Amino acid sequence: MTQQGAYYVPHKSIWPIIGSVGLFVTMFGAAHWINGQTDLGRPMFFTGLAVIVFMMFGWFHSVIGESIRGSYNSQVDVSFRMGMMWFIFSEVMFFAAFFGALFYARNFSVPWLGGEGHGLFTHHYLWDHYTATWPTNGPGNIGGKFSVVAPWGLPLLNTLLLLSSSVTITIAHHALRAGRRRQLLVFQALTVLLGASFLYFQAHEYMEAYEHLNLTLHSGVYGSTFFMLTGFHGLHVTLGTIMLIIIWLRCAKGHFNRENHFGFEAVAWYWHFVDVVWLCLFLFVYIM
Amino acid sequence: MAHASTQGHHDAHHEAPSGFFRRWFMSTNHKDIGTLYLIFAGLMFFIGGAMAMVIRAELFEPGMQLVQPYFFNELTTMHALVMIFGAIMPAFVGLANWMIPLMIGAPDMALPRMNNMSFWLLPFAFTILLSSFFLPGGAPAGGWTMYPPLSIQGGDGIAFLIFFVHLSGISSIMGAINIIATILNMRAPGMDLLKMPIFVWTWLITAFLLIAVMPVLAGGVTMLLTDKYFGTSFFNAAGGGDPVLFQHVFWFFGHPEVYIMILPAFGIISEVIPTFSRKPLFGYKAMVYATASIAFLSFIVWAHHMFTTGLPLGAELFFMYATMLIAVPTGVKVFNWVTTMWGGSLTFETPMLFAVAFVILFTIGGFSGIMLALVPADFQYQDTYFVVAHFHYVLVTGAAFGIMAGVYFWLPKWSGHMYSERWGKIHFWLSVISVNVLFFPMHFLGLAGMPRRIPDYNVAFADFNMISSIGGFVFGASQLIMVGNIIYTVFFAKRKASDRVWEGAKGLEWTVPSPAPHHTFSVPPVIDDSLLAHGDVSH
């Protein structure tokens, strides 16, 4: 079907509609679950997730098969690359919303609540005892007194872990391009381990925050921004680690060769993106 | 030459249209998926329109007649969401699916399977949204803008609205990624960027806007979700947050969204006017730069939606001037459309009628936009019917008229038959008169002080409201003519359309047969610059 100089159009596929159904069931279930009006929400949510996982296996299975059989030409490869790049850009904008909330709270809403600015009466009428500080849980002391995670302990360790993982995945990539299979597998495995240790320490930090620091999702705007930013980042690291594991297995099965390894590169881009987000988190959430 | 571009398809593709389920649910065909998008948009247009009819019926006279006030609020909220996310945006994506590959000589979209998923998420997203009518506490009623604290003090509907936004956002982002990859990667050799039709250019820029802002909205509504259900304090001043923060996040999405809903219409109009003027578009490159400028400016004007929230003076001034700056590139566009018509051999088939009406009526909406951009004036207009008049002029006589122009323009190419010109003209004249009867009096109501999103009003506003409602009913009913005309064209019309369809039409899409075969351009076509609308643009 693929011929020289001709365009490639993939054949029909059942997976997009299955993915749509899966996302629908997941979100419909989630909406019912959090409202608690019916008991069906929770099972629906997990059923939907299972359908999505099933779709992922099926869709990737057929795409990997087509790729290995050599169905894709270089134009398809460029389309895939563009798709991944723009997807990562959309992820950047998603995080931008939460970073924006953080900067807004620190530079505007908290100082205004503390009486800064002209013609603002919230401080005067409602909370004249409140002095603006950061971190804060607001004039209402929402969630009670809390302390923050010290940046130079676990967060620094996690920074080093993620930065090293960026190095190891790059070494693995060079090994793949040079055809050094053993080095590729070892350094890809190291990357997975580094990612997994990051997650372990992040979970540890969360437990520490909840159990000893009284820093929770309820701790006013500090707790909200802290947990939503680091939480969504952690979710992305989790997905990224799963992706790394799958790519490692695919390397072991010999799916990639020196020229043709877009799957590897896409995951590497994603991993670097997750890394950069962490550096911003370390700087703006933990240190500053 | 005319059919050369399609000859390759018999041997290159073994998949002709197959069984119903395989063809429509598993499709990788840009034409079928485009058709699905357009049918879905039409359906949503009538669901959202039905809500508008109930709203206008309630407002026909002062006092409470038909519906409960809370249900009225549900209707205004849902009418906006259905029309924006269900009618206007999917209609444009449908047109993009159908036309962009044909216009640039591509066999299909760059990522055809993802294309199918982009579409099929939409019916599911709207199932979630519309199901909220049947929930305890009803559908969301705090306005489509979802401002907290009001939006999270209502019933369970808000969670459904939030997950709806997530699903349709995923759909939009995937669609936009696909469109960018198609335009940048799938152009036939020789189809340079500056030879592309303006419709393709406007969609390239629109797709960028979509990828940049839909995730921001997703983030904003996620904060809303966690504030209501998981105890965060993003929008709670007692916790150090600020309800106004939501408005910033929302309008950082919302203002580019306004241009997402109008730029593709600019593109359609820029195709239709040269065709029926039998002249090349005046100032092609200026059009491209103007579109890009509008897109850039759309990111730095969002707070003009928030002038009365107590922004610092410096911010009010910045956002006022930045907003008024948009009048410059928009003025360039209107000037170019008028200059394209100047001295042309004009004929006024239905698409051209809609295009000319678009230029005039969209400009009225643009002018009221400049009035609203003035901070001191906006303090008066804020939340009145003047705002309602303004955005309906840009969205109905702007975006929706642009879509209608596009549908009449390309329907012969899609179906292979000519629509009924007589009924097209009847549809146009009924629409263009009734739409002004519907929305123009709202300017007066707003200036006189009638607030928006209110089911009852002072008797002083009675006359104009009744006039407006009559216009609304006529406008709503007129749209059935369009549906009738489309059904007639697709299934019953005898008159065959030629390949070129319109005498003055230029571009690759007119070199393929009518109806366009299931697969086109299976091998890259040889581009002949004289066949393109902008083949002679120097660069």
Side-chain angles (χ1 to χ4, degrees), chain B residues 481-512:
Chain B
I481 299 174
M482 180 177 64
V483 177
N485 206 344
I486 292 171
I487 292 173
Y488 160 80
T489 313
V490 174
F491 296 108
F492 305 107
K494 296 278 182 296
R495 232 185 99 205
K496 294 270 182 222
S498 66
D499 292 355
R500 185 154 297 278
V501 182
W502 312 106
E503 186 191 33
K506 285 201 152 191
L508 285 181
E509 71 269 36
W510 309 108
T511 64
V512 302

Side-chain angles (χ1 to χ4, degrees), chain A residues 1 3 5-7 9-14 16-17 19-21 23-24 27-28 30-32 34-35 37 55 59 62-63 66 72 75 78-80 82-83 86-87 89-90 93-94 97-98 100-101 104-105 109-110 112-113 120 127 136-142 217-218 220-221 224-225 228 232, chain B residues 12-15 18 21-22 25-26 28 105 107-108 110-113 116-117 120-121 124 127-128 131 136 156 159-160 163 166-167 177 180-181 184-186 188 208 211-212 215-216 218-219 222-223 225-226 229-234 237-242 244-245 248 252 312 521-524:
Chain A
M1 170 166 166
Q3 60 203 60
Y7 286 123
V9 178
H11 60 75
K12 293 184 190 303
S13 171
I14 188 74
I17 186 83
S20 304
V21 171
L23 275 167
F24 165 70
M27 297 215 174
F28 200 57
H32 278 290
I34 58 175
N35 279 314
Q37 292 284 353
M55 177 272 290
W59 198 334
S62 59
V63 171
E66 287 164 18
Y72 297 156
Q75 189 175 37
V78 174
S79 290
F80 284 171
M82 285 183 175
W86 287 104
F87 166 66
F89 174 63
S90 78
M93 293 309 292
F94 181 77
F98 290 92
Y104 184 87
S109 67
V110 170
W112 287 341
L113 286 169
L120 301 172
W127 293 299
T136 182
N137 55 1
N141 195 26
I142 304 283
L217 196 56
H218 304 265
V221 74
S224 309
T225 51
M228 291 298 275
F232 270 117
Chain B
H13 289 272
H14 49 76
E15 284 183 309
S18 38
F21 185 84
R22 279 180 63 81
F25 288 83
M26 295 167 60
T28 50
D108 208 292
L111 302 157
R113 289 178 186 150
N116 193 29
M117 189 158 171
W120 277 107
L121 282 175
F124 290 120
T127 307
I128 293 181
S131 75
D156 295 352
F160 289 75
F163 288 117
H166 282 144
L167 266 195
I177 289 174
I180 290 194
L184 293 183
N185 191 36
M186 302 293 279
F208 170 75
I211 303 177
V216 177
T222 304
M223 294 180 218
L225 185 82
T226 56
Y229 294 97
F230 301 101
T232 57
S233 302
F234 288 106
D242 186 352
V244 177
L245 168 62
H248 282 289
F252 185 83
F521 301 126
S522 300
V523 286

Side-chain angles (χ1 to χ4, degrees), chain B residues 386-403:
Chain B
F386 191 81
V387 180
V388 178
H390 159 71
F391 66 68
H392 280 97
Y393 264 87
V394 291
L395 285 177
V396 179
T397 60
F401 271 29
I403 292 164

